[in-house]
């Protein structure tokens, strides 16, 4: 099992966190100085990422000009970001240790230290995106990453059209879409010269999605229809036509150039999925990716071993329930596969049935809400909606993902589910996905963090995957065990255990591909044979891990740490579950080692 001593706690990240709850009366100027430094960098980041400003609701007032811009996707901006990461780490180290800070200041210092140090380490890699953040990986564009993938969804679901200025800003951003695609095309070619090229199957997936987007009638694109609908409601006319012309004359030619670039590079691509043997400094890149995503110093071998152990343990639990239901023939994976294919468990592959699936999940979210006060002292004000992943990007998109509300709460949280093939979501597996993505998982945690005005703005806005995903996975067990949602639903409990099995399998296949020389097909076979996912979903998942090395390891590592902290606290007299949950959530997202220090204090 995961050894807590292996958690990352560098001198900068961990020094000075209190071992008790006693406040240290420190000079306030040290806290103020750190606050000014970190807030200044956050403000700079917002200026450099207009999309983040919109997502957080910060593109108003003095920052209103950001609402008409996209980020700079150019190689020049990428080099500047790398230099900036290196310089920030130098300045932060010059600030000194946390000794003169209050307890709150020490937490800010520890969290910032991890983020800044890993970003500076990532700056040493001369390809991809290694500074950290939500799209950290070796490839500028793949089936999950790139302007072609993110911008249409962003304009459709996050850009505000509340008046004529908002509609005009949409057109300005749409005009920046083509240049963003071209900038990334230049980086694709430059990285290829360095020997950094996605595997052939990733290129094929990305090219297929690029072609699907380019092949859509401009006026029929979801983002254009969204603009037209919102503008018409405001009494504004002609915006849909203007936007369609921009797509036709500016965006589609840029998409065609990116498709052409991938086509020219495709003959040079290989089928090997892993990065350690194939990319420049590949072993170091993967070790860095594991550090960024898990916020630990666990090695690939250690994570692989943890995965194998947990796969065996969880499979045994599933086996017991299936036997009790009379399902005794075949391996656990074979019995789960039969359950996955049971017509009674499947929604039809029609738009009507998929709309019904979304409606059913939204009802499930509402049904759980009254139960939450039993185990949480604080609940978010913001609501959450379940939505379908836009069909234009569902071929490469993950199975589900969450989009948090802005800091001002003006938009609800949203949980997106990929319905490319409804058969990938048998009914018994859906409740636990909803508890993971909505409440008590991502939405409860992220919305509480963004609503917590006691935290600095930069901490309300940011997060760490191991904490966020670890919490969401832990939250599935809160629903299953603490709220007993599967009391009369044994197959639902199988779905819950399958979710845990799936995340344990991820530890095995991610490290298998990137550190142990597994082929893509070997990873798919292992995932499908375990019963963690049907073969179609397993293919999509493995493609994802090939494109974003290490990210899939964040979930089960984070969950293991949070579950262990609960077990430690529950062994003490006077343990109260609501208090424990509120303590875990009180400081927002943090590296796992910092979370351990805070809870044990």
């Amino acid at each position: 099992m995961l050894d807590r001593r292996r958690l990352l706690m560098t001198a900068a990240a961990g020094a000075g966190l209190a071992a008790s709850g006693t406040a240290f009366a420190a000079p306030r100027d040290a806290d103020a100085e750190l606050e000014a430094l970190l807030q200044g960098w956050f403000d700079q980041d917002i200026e450099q990422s207009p999309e983040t400003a919109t997502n957080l609701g910060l593109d108003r007032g003095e920052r209103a000009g950001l609402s008409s811009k996209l980020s700079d996707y150019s190689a020049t901006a990428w080099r500047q970001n790398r230099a900036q990461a290196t310089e920030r780490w130098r300045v932060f180290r010059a600030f000194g240790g946390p000794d003169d800070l209050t307890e709150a200041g020490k937490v800010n210092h520890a969290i910032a230290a991890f983020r800044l140090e890993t970003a500076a380490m990532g700056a040493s890699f001369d390809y991809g995106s290694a500074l950290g953040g939500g799209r950290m990986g070796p490839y500028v564009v793949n089936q999950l990453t790139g302007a072609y993938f993110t911008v249409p969804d962003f304009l459709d679901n996050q850009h505000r059209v509340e008046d004529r200025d908002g509609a005009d800003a949409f057109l300005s951003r749409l005009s920046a879409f083509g240049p963003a695609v071209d900038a990334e095309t230049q980086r694709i070619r430059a990285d290829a010269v360095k020997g950094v090229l996605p595997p052939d199957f990733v290129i094929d997936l990305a090219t297929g999605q690029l072609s699907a987007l380019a092949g859509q009638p401009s006026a029929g694109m979801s983002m254009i229809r969204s603009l037209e609908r919102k503008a018409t409601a405001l009494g504004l006319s002609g915006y849909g036509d203007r936007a369609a012309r921009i797509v036709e004359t500016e965006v589609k030619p840029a998409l065609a150039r990116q498709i052409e670039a991938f086509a020219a590079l495709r003959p040079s691509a290989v089928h090997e999925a892993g990065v350690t043997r194939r990319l420049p400094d590949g072993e170091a890149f993967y070790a860095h990716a594991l550090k960024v995503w898990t916020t630990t110093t666990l090695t690939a071998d250690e994570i692989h071993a943890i995965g194998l152990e947990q796969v065996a343990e969880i499979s045994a639990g599933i086996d017991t329930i299936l036997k009790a239901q009379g399902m005794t023939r075949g391996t656990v994976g074979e019995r789960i596969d039969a359950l996955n294919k049971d017509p009674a468990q499947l929604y039809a592959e029609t738009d009507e049935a998929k709309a019904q699936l979304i409606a059913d999940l939204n009802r499930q979210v509402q049904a759980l809400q009254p139960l939450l006060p039993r185990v949480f002292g604080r609940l978010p004000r913001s609501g959450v909606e379940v939505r379908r992943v836009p069909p234009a990007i569902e071929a490469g998109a993950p199975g589900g993902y969450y989009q948090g509300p802005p800091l001002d709460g003006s938009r609800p949280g949203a949980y997106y589910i990929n319905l490319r093939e409804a058969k990938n979501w048998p009914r018994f597996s859906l409740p636990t996905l909803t508890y993971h993505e909505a409440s008590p998982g991502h939405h409860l945690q992220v919305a509480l963090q963004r609503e917590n005005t006691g935290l600095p703005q930069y901490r309300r806005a940011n997060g760490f995957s191991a904490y966020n995903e670890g919490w969401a996975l832990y939250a599935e067990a809160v629903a299953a065990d603490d709220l007993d949602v599967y009391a009369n639903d044994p197959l639902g409990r199988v779905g819950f255990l399958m979710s845990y099995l799936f995340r344990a399998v991820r530890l095995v296949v991610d490290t298998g591909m990137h550190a142990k020389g597994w082929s893509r097909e070997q990873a798919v076979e292992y995932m499908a044979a375990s019963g963690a996912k049907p073969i179609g979903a397993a293919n999509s998942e493995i493609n994802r891990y090939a494109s974003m090395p290490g990210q899939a390891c964040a979930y089960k590592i984070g969950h293991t740490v949070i579950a262990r902290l609960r077990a430690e606290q529950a062994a003490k007299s006077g343990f109260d579950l609501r208090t424990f949950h509120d303590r875990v959530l009180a400081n927002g997202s943090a590296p796992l080692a910092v979370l351990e220090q805070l809870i044990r204090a």
Side-chain angles (χ1 to χ4, degrees):
M1 296 299 290
L2 181 59
D3 181 349
R4 67 182 178 85
R5 292 172 300 178
R6 298 293 297 147
L7 288 177
L8 177 66
M9 181 57 75
T10 65
L17 280 181
S20 72
T22 303
F24 175 73
R28 291 306 304 170
D29 58 345
D31 276 43
E33 183 183 346
L34 179 64
E35 175 75 9
L37 183 67
L38 299 180
Q39 183 64 43
W41 285 340
F42 175 75
D43 291 340
Q44 187 179 19
D45 290 340
I46 291 298
E47 292 292 332
Q48 293 170 354
S49 178
E51 297 92 334
T52 301
T54 296
N55 175 269
L56 296 174
L58 296 177
D59 58 344
R60 301 176 185 271
E62 294 181 353
R63 292 195 180 112
L66 294 176
S67 66
S68 61
K69 299 177 181 178
L70 296 179
S71 299
D72 187 343
Y73 287 73
S74 70
T76 298
W78 167 68
R79 286 191 292 270
Q80 290 172 345
N81 288 338
R82 292 168 64 201
Q84 177 178 277
T86 301
E87 175 63 10
R88 285 182 178 180
W89 179 231
R90 185 196 66 78
V91 171
F92 185 81
R93 283 181 295 167
F95 174 86
D99 291 346
D100 292 334
L101 298 168
T102 64
E103 295 307 316
K106 290 175 182 178
V107 176
N108 292 338
H109 188 279
I111 292 173
F114 178 87
R115 185 181 301 280
L116 294 164
E117 182 181 25
T118 51
M121 292 171 62
S124 67
F125 295 98
D126 190 30
Y127 57 85
S129 175
L131 302 183
R135 294 293 176 181
M136 184 261 175
Y139 313 119
V140 176
V141 176
N142 55 54
Q143 82 278 19
L144 297 166
T145 306
Y148 87 91
F149 186 91
T150 59
V151 172
D153 182 52
F154 168 76
L155 289 175
D156 188 9
N157 291 298
Q158 296 188 52
H159 179 91
R160 297 185 313 278
V161 179
E162 300 169 338
D163 50 27
R164 185 179 294 276
D165 287 343
D168 289 338
F170 185 107
L171 297 181
S172 295
R173 278 179 155 163
L174 195 58
S175 289
F177 185 12
V181 172
D182 280 333
E184 289 188 328
T185 300
Q186 293 175 10
R187 289 193 60 199
I188 290 168
R189 293 192 175 107
D191 278 0
V193 172
K194 301 169 188 174
V196 179
L197 193 63
D200 53 12
F201 58 92
V202 170
I203 290 179
D204 292 344
L205 285 166
T207 302
Q209 292 185 171
L210 280 159
S211 299
L213 180 62
Q216 287 185 42
S218 298
M221 289 182 175
S222 180
M223 61 177 175
I224 307 302
R225 295 200 310 270
S226 177
L227 171 64
E228 178 69 20
R229 182 178 64 255
K230 294 171 183 176
T232 299
L234 293 168
L236 306 174
S237 62
Y239 278 89
D241 290 339
R242 292 166 64 186
R245 283 196 296 272
I246 293 172
V247 170
E248 202 65 33
T249 60
E250 301 176 28
V251 176
K252 286 191 174 183
L255 295 173
R257 288 188 286 271
Q258 192 159 102
I259 293 169
E260 181 182 354
F262 271 131
L265 294 170
R266 176 62 171 79
S268 301
V270 299
H271 194 66
E272 183 177 353
V275 299
T276 55
R277 301 184 303 183
R278 188 169 53 83
L279 300 186
D281 297 319
E283 185 174 352
F285 188 96
Y286 187 53
H288 175 67
L290 290 176
K291 180 177 179 180
V292 168
W293 290 117
T294 72
T295 65
T296 74
T297 54
L298 289 166
T299 67
D301 285 344
E302 288 169 327
I303 292 174
H304 194 81
I306 292 168
L308 289 172
E309 181 181 354
Q310 294 195 5
V311 166
E313 179 183 340
I314 298 165
S315 295
I318 295 173
D319 181 43
T320 299
I321 298 176
L322 292 177
K323 285 179 177 176
Q325 298 302 303
M327 301 179 68
T328 60
R329 299 181 61 182
T331 66
V332 168
E334 288 169 344
R335 281 174 279 164
I336 291 175
D337 187 55
L339 195 58
N340 285 333
K341 295 176 180 176
D342 182 354
Q345 294 291 335
L346 302 179
Y347 285 86
E349 299 289 351
T350 65
D351 287 339
E352 292 77 14
K354 292 176 180 179
Q356 183 62 51
L357 186 156
I358 297 294
D360 290 347
L361 294 185
N362 276 301
R363 278 192 292 273
Q364 180 190 327
V365 169
Q366 296 305 314
L368 190 74
Q369 198 66 23
L371 306 182
L372 296 176
R374 296 183 192 174
V375 290
F376 295 100
R378 295 171 56 242
L379 295 173
R381 297 185 299 274
S382 301
V384 61
E385 300 173 357
V386 186
R387 302 172 184 169
R388 181 178 177 179
V389 170
I393 62 171
E394 63 188 4
Y401 56 89
Y402 171 75
Q403 179 186 99
L407 294 176
D408 62 4
S410 58
R411 183 183 68 245
Y415 134 46
Y416 290 84
I417 182 169
N418 191 329
L419 298 182
R420 178 171 59 92
E421 292 183 288
K423 66 182 180 182
N424 286 333
W425 299 112
R427 294 173 188 270
F428 72 92
S429 72
L430 283 169
T432 198
L433 175 70
T434 301
Y435 301 140
H436 179 104
E437 299 290 349
S439 290
H442 281 315
H443 177 67
L444 185 144
Q445 180 261 311
V446 173
L448 276 177
Q449 176 177 309
R450 293 192 171 181
E451 293 171 5
N452 186 353
T453 55
L455 295 177
Q457 189 181 57
Y458 54 85
R459 283 184 50 204
R460 292 170 60 201
N462 291 323
F464 297 88
S465 193
Y467 175 98
N468 289 27
E469 298 297 354
W471 171 264
L473 198 54
Y474 166 82
E476 295 176 23
V478 172
D481 298 330
D482 299 318
L483 298 178
D484 206 16
V485 295
Y486 304 119
N488 301 307
D489 183 11
L491 292 185
R493 186 162 187 88
V494 169
F496 156 62
L497 290 177
M498 281 178 56
S499 173
Y500 274 35
L501 176 64
F502 171 43
R503 273 42 178 247
V505 165
R506 280 177 161 178
L507 301 181
V508 178
V509 296
D510 194 279
T511 54
M513 282 194 300
H514 294 298
K516 295 184 174 297
W518 284 25
S519 68
R520 174 194 175 279
E521 287 68 29
Q522 184 178 356
V524 170
E525 181 181 353
Y526 181 89
M527 177 171 281
S530 72
K533 285 291 178 181
I535 190 67
N539 273 288
S540 295
E541 287 294 329
I542 298 306
N543 293 338
R544 170 184 172 183
Y545 313 155
S547 298
M548 297 180 69
Q551 191 272 342
C553 297
Y555 300 70
K556 204 65 176 69
I557 297 299
H559 161 260
T560 302
V561 171
I562 295 173
R564 187 185 63 229
L565 286 170
R566 170 169 168 169
E568 289 177 5
Q569 299 300 308
K572 300 177 181 179
S573 62
F575 173 76
D576 178 74
L577 185 58
R578 283 162 47 109
T579 300
F580 171 75
H581 287 159
D582 290 350
R583 287 178 62 200
V584 171
L585 296 166
N587 280 283
S589 189
L592 295 178
V594 176
L595 175 66
E596 281 199 319
Q597 293 287 317
L598 289 168
I599 297 302
R600 291 187 176 126

